[in-house]
Amino acid sequence: MNIRRYIEERLAEPLSKLAGRSVPAIVAPSARAGFGDYQANGVMPAAKSAGTSPRKLAEQLLATANLAGVAEKLDIAGPGFINIRLDRAWLQQQLSAMAADEHLGVDRPVQPQTVVVDYSAPNLAKEMHVGHLRSTIIGDALARTLGFVGHKVIRQNHVGDWGTQFGMLLAYLKLQRPDWQSGGIHIADLEDFYRQAKQLFDADPAFADAARAEVVALQGGNPDSRRAWEMFLDESMEHCRAVYKTLGVLLADSDVHGESAYNDDLANVVADLDKAGLLKESQGAKCVFLPEFADKDGDITPVIVQKSDGGYLYATTDLAAIRYRVGTLKAQRVLYLTDGGQALHFRMVFAAARQAGMVPEDVRLEHVPFGVMLAEGGGKFRTRTGGTVKLIDLLDEAQKRARAIVLAKNPELTAEADEVAQIVGIGAVKYADLSQNRNSDYVFSFEKMLAMEGNTAPYMQYAYARISSIFRKAGVARESFFGRAVELAQPEERALGLKLLQFAETIQAVASECLPNLLCAYLYDLAGAFTGFYENCPVIQADEPTRTNRLALCALTARTMQKGLSLLGIRTIEQM
Ligand code: ARG
């Protein structure tokens, strides 16, 4: 059960009655231990709008709030905050229910939604870059979490597989590999290939003409160009697949629904915008002008949907994609994971789609932006020679370093070293990204992400492995504690129990706010609460029934950690 929401609902009703209108109770976990478990902050704004003293309103609220059996103590702090200390027996009851629940107490939504998650989406003309790494990692964590919560998740890999740059690439492919028809082409370095094609394009007018002719041929459906294009895409996707496989993300070939998939619908999109009376011509281009995108002089930045030469744009494709997602996939919520630089694009496309009646009112379109991944020192992420960092090299390096660290810590792991290195190294890369608020930029540092201390994957994985070792020492299976009622006698047991119970509200917050860092912060706190417990409450040495009770707490902690990490796309190991 979502405790936070439960208390919030319990308090909002009497508070609204007292305030004379519907007001929220604004409940949050207490920032400081000793002040209670939760704090309600809604009294002051409610008093302000009701024109009474917050203190008085708080007193009235305490007199009428029905938290009997739930809260052990309610008191007023400061001008009108309410501190809530939960009842121990009630906590035990909730925790026992959690321990008996496959779903670890996370309630399924009353109305499950169909959620489209648009993530990764590299441009297939080039190699995946660090921006796509962030999109892939964060998108995957959200897809997993939303699925676990109980929504129907449809992954969409909106790859950039269309556009004029493909003409250049195809012309170059035919030039470089006259035997391309025989198949089996392999482009080891896509980035280089692109650069060379571009260089030739800029330097050689004859080649530029060939490239433009290739675009026309491809758009006209010329079978020869089409075949070359497909071959090129497949080769480029092969690079992505390697990254996906190494990362262990959910994305499969069947999730690819690239820009080219919308080609046939683009003319319809433009025609429909015209029918809706939204199209205006500006310098030969077809545009949608929305007053909300006017600057202070009243000049509107338009959404351009067709260029004067007839070509369509990124925005046109996104409008077609919205129609497909809403109409065919029946999405009720669509998440778009790209860097913050595309914020305006999405705001404009969403507004145009709404204006055109393409999106029912209750369907939510959400751009989920993220900041930049920076190199150590704070600069742009580049190789020493200024080139693009290949993701696959980055991931290999992470695994290599993880291997060394793991073996230094536990030389007996040689047999499993490769697997452990993969789990720890990739886990570290993912966790370093996910543990930051996605809106901020962050510095990519192997050293920091692989540290055994602090809010890192190795720390979390080690915390998990340590609990596993307790069961090995105790000689009992962790699974045998599934569903066993738990008691919270000692303060550290109570603190751990409360933290465990906060799994539900954390997961639901991640799903609604699209912030995986909340889950990382939670897991880190959980590991801290476990350490506090383990240092103060002997487990294996304890007498029965305490021993069994504490083992049950350990088991639930391990399950919660493992589940939480798995929702981030991070694996655990029993021994580290
Ligand atoms: N291919 C784009 C890029 O590399 C990202 C696509 C995001 N999804 C979308 N529907 N526009 O920037």
Side-chain angles (χ1 to χ4, degrees):
M1 108 132 83
N2 185 329
I3 300 188
R4 182 175 161 178
R5 194 184 297 155
Y6 180 80
I7 301 173
E8 205 151 47
E9 282 165 6
R10 283 284 181 107
L11 287 181
E13 207 194 290
L15 184 62
S16 298
K17 221 177 248 163
L18 290 167
R21 64 188 184 92
S22 171
V23 286
I26 319 182
V27 171
S30 288
R32 273 164 60 194
F35 283 87
D37 303 321
Y38 285 87
Q39 194 178 56
N41 299 324
V43 170
M44 280 179 303
K48 198 167 170 201
S49 67
T52 54
S53 109
R55 189 86 202 173
K56 220 169 92 195
L57 189 62
E59 277 161 14
Q60 287 172 326
L61 178 61
L62 290 201
T64 50
N66 178 18
L67 283 172
V70 178
E72 180 181 280
K73 206 168 105 204
L74 292 168
D75 44 38
I76 305 167
F81 304 106
I82 295 178
N83 288 329
I84 302 150
R85 185 177 160 85
L86 295 168
D87 181 80
R88 190 167 62 100
W90 187 78
L91 280 178
Q92 285 175 179
Q93 209 176 44
Q94 301 310 317
L95 198 62
S96 303
M98 177 179 174
D101 181 5
E102 282 291 353
H103 217 232
L104 293 170
V106 181
D107 297 323
R108 320 230 173 212
V110 186
Q111 283 172 321
Q113 290 181 315
T114 298
V115 185
V116 165
V117 186
D118 173 331
Y119 70 107
S120 193
N123 184 345
L124 295 184
K126 301 186 185 190
E127 209 132 322
M128 274 175 94
H129 63 70
V130 290
H132 300 118
L133 181 66
R134 294 212 71 186
S135 176
T136 307
I137 291 175
I138 303 170
D140 204 60
L142 293 177
R144 288 173 194 265
T145 306
L146 286 158
F148 172 72
V149 164
H151 298 295
K152 177 180 170 196
V153 173
I154 304 178
R155 297 181 298 271
Q156 290 282 282
N157 195 352
H158 190 88
V159 295
D161 59 358
W162 198 250
T164 47
Q165 76 266 48
F166 284 95
M168 188 177 83
L169 293 165
L170 296 192
Y172 196 64
L173 176 73
K174 290 183 176 177
L175 192 73
Q176 286 292 307
R177 315 278 167 97
D179 62 332
W180 66 272
Q181 295 266 30
S182 56
I185 47 161
H186 179 60
I187 307 171
D189 194 323
L190 262 179
E191 208 61 37
D192 257 7
F193 190 85
Y194 181 88
R195 208 174 314 118
Q196 285 160 11
K198 178 84 170 74
Q199 252 166 27
L200 197 57
F201 184 87
D202 292 337
D204 180 352
F207 177 75
D209 283 341
R212 279 188 280 268
E214 205 55 73
V215 176
V216 175
L218 183 62
Q219 286 177 343
N222 175 303
D224 191 60
S225 298
R226 187 105 195 155
R227 215 160 338 115
W229 173 70
E230 276 163 9
M231 253 183 194
F232 180 85
L233 289 186
D234 197 46
E235 172 59 15
S236 181
M237 263 317 284
E238 199 52 42
H239 289 247
C240 300
R241 279 184 209 110
V243 172
Y244 295 159
K245 185 159 176 258
T246 307
L247 276 177
V249 291
L250 300 172
L251 284 172
D253 278 0
S254 52
D255 301 321
V256 174
H257 204 87
E259 294 182 4
S260 67
Y262 300 103
N263 282 349
D264 293 345
D265 201 31
L266 300 179
N268 303 332
V269 167
V270 174
D272 290 349
L273 290 170
D274 200 14
K275 255 184 251 154
L278 289 171
L279 272 198
K280 266 211 193 92
E281 259 193 40
S282 169
Q283 294 164 22
K286 296 193 169 128
C287 306
V288 179
F289 286 85
L290 298 166
E292 61 202 276
F293 297 103
D295 62 16
K296 49 184 182 321
D297 300 326
D299 289 330
I300 298 175
T301 310
V303 185
I304 308 174
V305 291
Q306 193 169 18
K307 292 187 286 189
S308 55
D309 67 3
Y312 300 104
L313 293 102
Y314 186 47
T316 327
T317 306
D318 259 325
L319 287 169
I322 287 177
R323 293 217 293 203
Y324 170 72
R325 290 165 184 184
V326 172
T328 306
L329 300 180
K330 305 275 178 260
Q332 291 158 297
R333 186 180 182 198
V334 189
L335 307 179
Y336 294 79
L337 285 112
T338 78
D339 63 70
Q342 297 195 32
L344 182 63
H345 162 76
F346 285 113
R347 268 183 33 227
M348 291 175 68
V349 165
F350 296 166
R354 293 220 182 260
Q355 218 19 268
M358 293 176 181
V359 197
E361 220 167 298
D362 55 351
V363 172
R364 279 161 58 192
L365 303 174
E366 295 171 47
H367 179 217
V368 181
F370 48 80
V372 186
M373 183 168 129
L374 299 165
E376 265 175 293
K380 259 198 166 179
F381 210 83
R382 298 252 149 216
T383 59
R384 276 207 191 94
T385 54
T388 320
V389 177
K390 283 221 177 100
L391 289 184
I392 206 75
D393 295 343
L394 194 80
L395 300 176
D396 285 348
E397 170 89 12
Q399 298 182 67
K400 222 168 56 208
R401 289 186 186 228
R403 192 173 202 276
I405 290 172
V406 166
L407 281 179
K409 203 169 169 69
N410 187 351
E412 279 160 40
L413 280 179
T414 338
E416 308 97 309
D418 284 341
E419 210 200 344
V420 175
Q422 198 261 333
I423 295 174
V424 176
I426 298 302
V429 171
K430 288 184 172 180
Y431 197 91
D433 194 315
L434 296 168
S435 58
Q436 303 292 319
N437 182 309
R438 59 174 164 74
N439 290 297
S440 30
D441 299 344
Y442 82 99
V443 173
F444 185 94
S445 155
F446 278 125
E447 219 159 293
K448 280 205 191 112
M449 71 178 64
L450 284 164
M452 296 296 302
E453 289 303 321
N455 193 10
T456 66
Y459 172 77
M460 286 308 310
Q461 287 165 327
Y462 184 67
Y464 172 84
R466 198 173 53 164
I467 305 179
S468 293
S469 76
I470 297 172
F471 288 92
R472 276 197 301 277
K473 276 192 210 124
V476 284
R478 213 178 80 191
E479 293 69 41
S480 63
F481 294 89
F482 183 92
R484 196 180 288 261
V486 196
E487 262 189 63
L488 305 170
Q490 296 295 319
E492 294 85 6
E493 290 175 321
R494 186 187 185 283
L496 176 60
L498 176 64
K499 230 336 102 224
L500 286 166
L501 283 169
Q502 288 170 340
F503 183 67
E505 63 196 48
T506 305
I507 294 301
Q508 277 161 354
V510 173
S512 65
E513 292 165 46
C514 300
L515 289 175
N517 62 304
L518 300 177
L519 179 52
C520 296
Y522 167 80
L523 291 172
Y524 186 60
D525 286 352
L526 178 61
F530 184 80
T531 303
F533 155 79
Y534 196 60
E535 281 170 0
N536 292 287
C537 308
V539 177
I540 304 179
Q541 310 323 335
D543 295 331
E544 291 297 356
T546 305
R547 184 178 191 265
T548 297
N549 184 58
R550 290 184 177 163
L551 280 169
L553 264 173
C554 292
L556 187 55
T557 306
R559 271 172 71 203
T560 307
M561 277 184 183
Q562 188 171 38
K563 176 51 84 184
L565 286 171
S566 84
L567 296 180
L568 299 171
I570 296 172
R571 291 162 66 199
T572 45
I573 0 178
E574 297 304 308
Q575 212 168 341
M576 217 170 135

